[in-house]
Amino acid sequence: MDKSRPETLGMGRSIAVLTSGGDAQGMNAAVRAVVRVGIYTGAKVYFIHEGYQGLVDGGDNIREATWESVSMMLQLGGTVIGSARCKDFRSREGRTKAALNLVKRGITNLCVIGGDGSLTGANDFRVEWGGLLADLQKQGKITAAEAAGSSHLNIVGMVGSIDNDFCGTDMTIGTDSALHRIMEVVDAITTTAQSHQRTFVLEVMGRHCGYLALVTGLACGADWVFIPESPPPANWEDIICQRLNASRLRGSRLNVIIIAEGAVTVEGSPITSTYIKDLITERLGFDTRVTILGHVQRGGTPSAFDRVLGSRMGVEAVMALLEATPDTPACVVSLSGNQAVRLPLMELVQMTKDVTKAMVEKRFGDAIKLRGRSFENNWDTYRLLSHHDIPTTKTNFTLAVMCVGAPAAGMNAAIRSAIRVGLTQGHKMLAVHDGFEGLIEGGIEEFHWGQVTGWTGLGGTMLGTKRLLPANNWPAIVSNITKFGINGLLIIGGFEAFLGALQMLDGRSKFEELCIPIMVIPATVSNNVPGSDFSIGADTALNAITSTCDRIKQSAAGTKRRVFVIETMGGYCGYLATMAGLAAGADAAYIYEEPFSIHDLQVNVEHLTEKMKTTVKRGLILRNEKANEHYSTDFIYNLYSEEGKGVFDCRKNVLGHMQQGGSPTPFDRNFGTKLGAKAVMWFSTALKDAYRHGRIFANTPDSACVLGMRKRSVLVQPILQLRDQIDMEHRLPLDQWWLHLRSILKVLAKYKVTEEISERASLEHVRGRLKEAKAV
């Protein structure tokens, strides 16, 4: 038997999965992935109910899992297998009982989903495993053969924590969903605050980590954020009152202050939401209210991001367990950028402890850096937007901001960020209405600080957008660039924005006025702009599709034996269909990038027919709108209806433009805000470099770029370099990172695949990062 093949890798082995500590949305997605991929590899998989307490107590708390037992778990919050605090496991006697329960079932692979305490406990268990087996053998509770068969214990952890307080991972399971709950409350509070000109102080979770508070502050445009890692200056009471008063004088009708529950002063004294409220009321006389969100942040349906994250991490955890040797250290599978990584567990635990130590020793700069690059970038962006005044000395540079193509949720966050950061840099900021049409017709106006207040939570684009491209309109465009003194152009949009920038580059040979720095920020639900793995708006669309699929699947609960065929947007790009398939638990997702035939459709129908014989009597099929010219959504619906006659019936739904609408998700707000700020900082440097003889002249390849996320970094990439990396006819990047996730989608739907299902993350060490952060 070839054990190198994924479907035989787990033969003769057993895996157990438990959730421990505080629950987090997305844990169920991780559990589901561990169970199904474990079974796919040929391993036996066990649930350990009630966390470590169930591991110690044994009995019915440890049960074998089946494929169907994890059906319909994806959309459920919390953890279906339960979690409990366990004092017994902290004692050697308790751990000896736990070891006995595992040995008797032949379990030598343990997947733990929890926070740093839960993962540390798992590593301690692994370290003393040999001693525990020796004790059990001396007591006559296990035989020598049983001890030999369980000679070492493999441990892999996944971090489930809404606080995102575990170093080494950009996002822990549950964090994005918690941000969704928080932003729902913030958006609701904002409307009432505007009505009554109130100030609201919102307290969010984060006893030792300010991530939730920080990202909430960025996503809602808060006036001030208090986090444990960076206490405010000694005279913060005076500063905050000055800033709030200045905000009202600029015309703002509300103020929002976000505070993490663990916020402290430089001296270490707690800063409470009540103290802030009393301070503002007494000094400024503002009507101020406090809202403490509490455990609502832990509840509710997991976001699409957390479902995909949990699924990806669950797959990687199983592969890490089955590939481990006795010498492999306990590891954590986590996310860095959009890449799965395996990191040594105890190095991350030590790094997390180092953050706490840095805060105790008042090395707050180190604490921010030790939290990681993502946290530090968020903090820098927040400070750019909230702690910089507009300078009296101007740069004499003028930047214009415009949107091109279809609207996407999160565009307004990018516009707001760009306008405000530009003003703090001393630039004159112009807004171009209706894309290139506005640039042609002169629909351009100067924007000031207060004009973008409250824009982060608004869907679409307040500037308007059109698909019109600049070619053949050069005289009018050149005239308005000269008339308004535009020195740099920021274009926010999808593939049309990229094409428009390319045409501007081509026009430089004829019109010197077009030799200005140009930057494109990708913003489209299709996520098809070259140069970026993610586009602003795609996450909002993905969540809209996922929530709709949840409701559609739920509607089949009473009727049974029903298959739904859903059409998604995306043009020729299958990103939305694939990721929604992962997030909603689809049986298949048809996309242009992966050609399919009538034979493939027949195989899928037969697969669903077999599925209806199990306890799971519903199916979900997704199709990208341009997946195939001939196999349309109607064709697939009719085929499934005919071939499934007597076994299941079909329904179809074309989701349409609802995918472009709605309030942007926290991810899109935060992503848009950061990209807008980074773009303007790039312009500040590019304009200085291009300033010659009293004017701007930029015609080098790096003077026109796309700003996007690639793997683990936000990068600036010349547009001309990217032109050779696209399928222009179908408006697709030639290299799309998410395509390798399709094998995971298929395996979780119970298909055999020939592709690699592991992301093949190698074990990386973080000690170098730790030293680097300390040195800085």
Side-chain angles (χ1 to χ4, degrees):
M1 185 182 294
D2 182 8
K3 287 203 172 186
S4 64
R5 295 167 54 205
E7 62 269 31
T8 57
L9 191 62
M11 288 290 188
R13 305 172 74 176
S14 296
I15 299 170
V17 57
L18 66 85
T19 53
S20 178
D23 65 306
Q25 310 97 317
M27 281 183 166
N28 289 324
V31 170
R32 172 180 176 268
V34 169
V35 169
R36 290 195 167 177
V37 175
I39 292 172
Y40 175 82
T41 64
K44 280 188 176 182
V45 185
Y46 291 85
F47 292 131
I48 299 178
H49 292 266
E50 313 308 334
Y52 284 118
Q53 191 64 57
L55 185 59
V56 173
D57 293 342
D60 287 341
N61 288 306
I62 305 177
R63 301 177 214 159
E64 187 172 352
T66 65
W67 194 276
E68 290 77 20
S69 64
V70 291
S71 179
M72 293 299 285
M73 283 176 63
L74 268 174
Q75 69 269 34
L76 301 179
T79 165
V80 169
I81 60 175
S83 178
R85 308 287 180 185
C86 180
K87 290 183 179 179
D88 293 341
F89 192 73
R90 296 177 185 174
S91 68
R92 187 174 178 86
E93 181 185 357
R95 291 192 293 274
T96 303
K97 290 180 181 178
L100 177 62
N101 289 325
L102 292 182
V103 171
K104 287 298 182 182
R105 292 169 176 81
I107 299 170
T108 56
N109 299 281
L110 184 62
C111 180
V112 178
I113 309 170
D116 59 343
S118 303
L119 299 181
T120 302
N123 187 70
D124 292 343
F125 189 39
R126 175 183 178 275
V127 169
E128 62 181 14
W129 179 258
L132 297 175
L133 296 194
D135 290 349
L136 289 169
Q137 199 172 346
K138 286 178 184 176
Q139 296 166 12
K141 293 182 178 179
I142 62 173
T143 65
E146 286 175 323
S150 303
S151 59
H152 68 276
L153 178 69
N154 296 320
I155 297 285
V156 170
M158 286 182 272
V159 189
S161 166
I162 68 166
D163 293 339
N164 203 29
D165 55 355
F166 198 76
C167 289
T169 177
D170 285 350
M171 288 286 275
T172 56
I173 296 169
T175 302
D176 187 67
S177 300
L179 287 169
H180 275 252
R181 300 295 90 76
I182 294 169
M183 290 313 306
E184 288 164 8
V185 173
V186 171
D187 287 347
I189 280 176
T190 297
T191 57
T192 184
Q194 284 178 328
S195 301
H196 298 278
Q197 299 191 60
R198 284 180 175 145
T199 296
F200 269 88
V201 182
L202 281 89
E203 182 178 308
V204 300
M205 286 185 171
R207 190 171 296 119
H208 304 293
C209 178
Y211 185 87
L212 289 179
L214 178 54
V215 175
T216 299
L218 280 176
C220 74
D223 295 275
W224 197 286
V225 172
F226 292 90
I227 62 172
E229 291 88 347
S230 185
N235 62 334
W236 67 269
E237 291 102 329
D238 298 330
I239 298 173
I240 192 172
C241 289
Q242 290 169 5
R243 290 196 177 278
L244 295 182
N245 194 48
S247 172
R248 292 295 175 98
L249 292 175
R250 287 196 296 263
S252 177
R253 292 181 59 85
L254 78 156
N255 299 109
V256 176
I257 296 164
I258 309 294
I259 177 171
E261 60 181 328
V264 292
T265 64
V266 175
E267 292 76 25
S269 302
I271 299 175
T272 66
S273 48
T274 304
Y275 178 79
I276 296 170
K277 174 203 167 188
D278 293 341
L279 170 72
I280 295 168
T281 304
E282 292 169 9
R283 290 207 189 178
L284 300 176
F286 294 172
D287 186 1
T288 306
R289 305 296 170 92
V290 171
T291 298
I292 300 174
L293 298 190
H295 281 76
V296 69
Q297 297 161 85
R298 286 195 188 279
T301 301
S303 67
F305 181 94
D306 274 328
R307 300 187 199 191
V308 174
L309 175 63
S311 298
R312 289 176 66 187
M313 297 304 100
V315 172
E316 200 61 36
V318 170
M319 301 312 290
L321 282 170
L322 298 181
E323 291 167 5
T325 68
D327 298 324
T328 305
C331 75
V332 170
V333 293
S334 64
L335 196 70
S336 179
N338 71 346
Q339 302 291 109
V341 293
R342 300 179 190 177
L343 303 169
L345 169 58
M346 293 316 294
E347 286 186 26
L348 301 188
V349 169
Q350 184 57 51
M351 200 169 178
T352 304
K353 289 179 179 177
D354 285 343
V355 176
T356 305
K357 183 180 178 184
M359 289 192 286
V360 170
E361 295 175 356
K362 301 183 180 180
R363 294 183 289 109
F364 300 113
D366 285 350
I368 294 284
K369 291 183 184 300
L370 285 164
R371 280 286 181 217
R373 184 170 50 193
S374 174
F375 191 99
E376 187 177 8
N377 287 340
N378 284 324
W379 180 247
D380 290 342
T381 305
Y382 160 69
R383 289 188 61 80
L384 261 181
L385 287 164
S386 300
H387 290 265
H388 281 74
D389 295 319
I390 299 174
T392 53
T393 304
K394 305 300 182 182
T395 63
N396 293 323
F397 293 141
T398 300
L399 288 181
V401 182
M402 64 192 294
C403 296
V404 175
M411 281 181 163
N412 287 321
I415 296 166
R416 170 189 173 274
S417 176
I419 295 288
R420 290 194 167 178
V421 172
L423 293 173
T424 64
Q425 294 294 299
H427 307 321
K428 182 179 180 180
M429 299 302 296
L430 303 179
V432 182
H433 296 276
D434 298 322
F436 282 111
E437 184 178 298
L439 195 58
I440 295 164
E441 298 178 356
I444 304 168
E445 68 170 308
E446 183 175 358
F447 258 48
H448 302 285
W449 189 277
Q451 287 174 269
V452 292
T453 298
W455 279 29
T456 52
L458 301 177
T461 167
M462 297 296 287
L463 297 184
T465 182
K466 296 286 180 69
R467 295 181 183 271
L468 180 69
L469 295 175
N472 304 320
N473 294 285
W474 297 127
I477 289 174
V478 166
S479 174
N480 282 318
I481 286 176
T482 304
K483 177 182 176 181
F484 289 93
I486 296 172
N487 303 127
L489 184 62
L490 175 60
I491 308 173
I492 303 169
F495 206 86
E496 286 88 355
F498 181 81
L499 290 179
L502 265 179
Q503 291 182 6
M504 294 280 285
L505 277 176
D506 292 338
R508 284 178 173 181
S509 61
K510 296 179 181 179
F511 300 95
E512 201 173 274
E513 292 84 356
L514 299 179
C515 294
I516 58 175
I518 299 169
M519 174 157 281
V520 175
I521 292 180
T524 168
V525 301
S526 300
N527 197 35
N528 64 336
V529 179
S532 187
D533 293 343
F534 296 104
S535 295
I536 296 167
D539 186 69
T540 303
L542 179 58
N543 276 278
I545 297 167
T546 303
S547 62
T548 303
C549 288
D550 286 347
R551 294 177 186 180
I552 288 172
K553 286 173 68 177
Q554 188 62 43
S555 73
T559 56
K560 307 290 186 186
R561 299 184 183 278
R562 180 163 286 175
V563 174
F564 293 92
V565 180
I566 311 294
E567 181 181 294
T568 67
M569 293 179 96
Y572 285 98
C573 181
Y575 175 82
L576 287 179
T578 298
M579 302 305 275
L582 270 173
D587 295 280
Y590 300 120
I591 64 171
Y592 170 79
E593 293 92 340
E594 190 175 279
F596 54 96
S597 65
I598 192 69
H599 172 71
D600 297 316
L601 294 173
Q602 186 62 38
V603 168
N604 295 150
V605 171
E606 291 169 359
H607 183 83
L608 279 171
T609 302
E610 288 301 309
K611 181 179 179 180
M612 295 299 167
K613 296 176 183 178
T614 70
T615 57
V616 185
K617 301 184 185 300
R618 60 195 158 270
L620 179 67
I621 304 296
L622 297 178
R623 178 188 176 274
N624 170 248
E625 60 183 341
K626 292 187 178 180
N628 187 289
E629 182 182 359
H630 303 291
Y631 300 141
S632 65
T633 301
D634 285 336
F635 178 92
I636 291 174
Y637 163 70
N638 290 331
L639 177 69
Y640 274 68
S641 296
E642 181 63 28
E643 295 298 317
K645 195 175 288 183
V647 181
F648 56 80
D649 64 357
C650 277
R651 298 288 187 274
K652 71 173 178 178
N653 197 313
V654 178
L655 300 186
H657 283 77
M658 58 83 68
Q659 297 161 83
Q660 286 184 336
S663 180
T665 58
F667 180 92
D668 279 330
R669 299 185 199 199
N670 185 26
F671 194 41
T673 298
K674 286 197 285 191
L675 290 190
K678 285 181 178 293
V680 171
M681 298 308 290
W682 176 84
F683 274 111
S684 294
T685 302
L687 287 168
K688 290 176 185 176
D689 293 343
Y691 187 72
R692 300 183 187 91
H693 310 297
R695 69 189 185 98
I696 298 295
F697 185 80
N699 67 345
T700 58
D702 62 357
S703 64
C705 298
V706 170
L707 178 66
M709 175 181 278
R710 298 301 293 267
K711 296 185 178 179
R712 303 187 191 185
S713 303
V714 174
L715 300 177
V716 175
Q717 299 152 95
I719 290 172
L720 288 176
Q721 287 182 10
L722 296 172
R723 178 159 54 182
D724 299 328
Q725 301 174 23
I726 54 178
D727 171 357
M728 192 66 77
E729 180 187 354
H730 299 100
R731 299 188 168 203
L732 288 173
L734 295 178
D735 180 27
Q736 299 191 84
W737 70 272
W738 51 267
L739 284 171
H740 74 272
L741 300 181
R742 290 188 57 79
S743 58
I744 296 176
L745 168 64
K746 294 171 187 174
V747 166
L748 294 177
K750 212 172 184 179
Y751 286 93
K752 298 290 184 183
V753 298
T754 56
E755 306 97 324
E756 180 66 64
I757 60 171
S758 170
E759 298 188 41
R760 286 298 172 196
S762 57
L763 191 66
E764 299 179 13
H765 292 278
V766 296
R767 294 190 186 106
R769 301 184 205 175
L770 185 60
K771 290 175 183 175
E772 181 183 341
K774 285 185 173 180
V776 172

